[in-house]
Amino acid sequence: MGVAPKFSVELLYDDIEKIAKHYGYGLLKGIYNAEPDVFYGIEKIKKNEELADVFLLSSCPDKNVALSFEINQEMVDKEMLGGNPYFFEFLRDVEQIVNNKSDKMYIFFASEWSAGDRIRFGYGSIAELIARLSMPGGWAVRYYDPIKKVMYDDDSEPFVFEVFIGE
């Protein structure tokens, strides 16, 4: 997630890190913690949108890497089994903090992201993001292959969601 806090990046990070830990996630501060597969894309949007810093969520908090495979699995499980992913609760809790401490927040979803990649973009409240992520395919694009008679998700394009603060 990219942020432009009203006051201190450190204070905002500390508050979001507490929430992340509560849900069993790790949180890494700074773009240099991004995996090489996404670094240049995040770097470009950080500069273009004048974001003060980037926080990277990790579902492997003990490994200190910005990978979120388990969070993606939560979305798949929601679609297949129902229920409410912890990630959605995390987003709701983050919204409460960000509404008071940030002027701008973007949430990034990408498996690979180069500086020149085309980006799918959305905006709205956290509730609208959760509704979008609750749909089949989540942040990816769902396609139907009529020859093979199967659906598949394509996550080859990064997805950026601008959170409307105070909504």
Side-chain angles (χ1 to χ4, degrees):
M1 61 186 71
V3 296
K6 292 179 182 180
F7 309 107
S8 162
V9 168
E10 292 301 325
L11 290 175
L12 183 60
Y13 174 79
D14 290 346
D15 288 345
I16 294 176
E17 183 184 39
K18 287 176 193 168
I19 295 168
K21 284 182 179 178
H22 173 77
Y23 290 101
Y25 304 140
L27 191 70
L28 303 171
K29 180 181 171 298
I31 193 167
Y32 293 101
N33 288 300
E35 293 296 304
D37 292 349
V38 297
F39 176 86
Y40 294 104
I42 293 173
E43 179 184 54
K44 184 58 104 177
I45 199 157
K46 179 181 182 279
K47 179 182 175 198
N48 289 352
E49 297 304 315
E50 299 175 350
L51 301 171
D53 212 338
V54 173
F55 304 153
L56 302 158
L57 196 60
S58 172
S59 57
C60 315
D62 56 327
K63 294 191 170 114
N64 211 31
V65 294
L67 297 175
S68 303
F69 297 120
E70 286 82 359
I71 295 170
N72 187 58
Q73 188 60 48
E74 287 181 36
M75 302 300 157
V76 172
D77 289 349
K78 178 192 177 6
E79 183 177 347
M80 303 303 287
L81 307 171
N84 194 20
Y86 288 127
F87 182 63
F88 292 174
E89 297 304 318
F90 167 79
L91 289 173
R92 288 183 187 105
D93 288 351
V94 166
E95 179 180 37
Q96 298 304 310
I97 298 297
V98 171
N99 278 340
N100 297 320
K101 296 186 177 179
S102 190
D103 289 323
K104 194 185 291 190
M105 180 170 150
Y106 290 78
I107 300 178
F108 315 133
F109 300 87
S111 56
E112 293 182 8
W113 190 357
S114 299
D117 283 353
R118 183 171 66 173
I119 300 167
R120 292 180 307 110
F121 188 83
Y123 53 84
S125 67
I126 288 292
E128 291 168 316
L129 173 60
I130 290 170
R132 185 174 195 149
L133 294 175
S134 296
M135 298 300 294
W139 65 271
V141 176
R142 173 133 316 162
Y143 291 100
Y144 177 74
D145 182 331
I147 304 298
K148 295 179 182 175
K149 299 180 186 173
V150 297
M151 286 189 260
Y152 66 95
D153 296 333
D154 181 355
D155 66 356
S156 61
E157 289 181 326
F159 174 58
V160 173
F161 190 88
E162 180 182 4
V163 177
F164 289 164
I165 304 295
E167 300 256 328

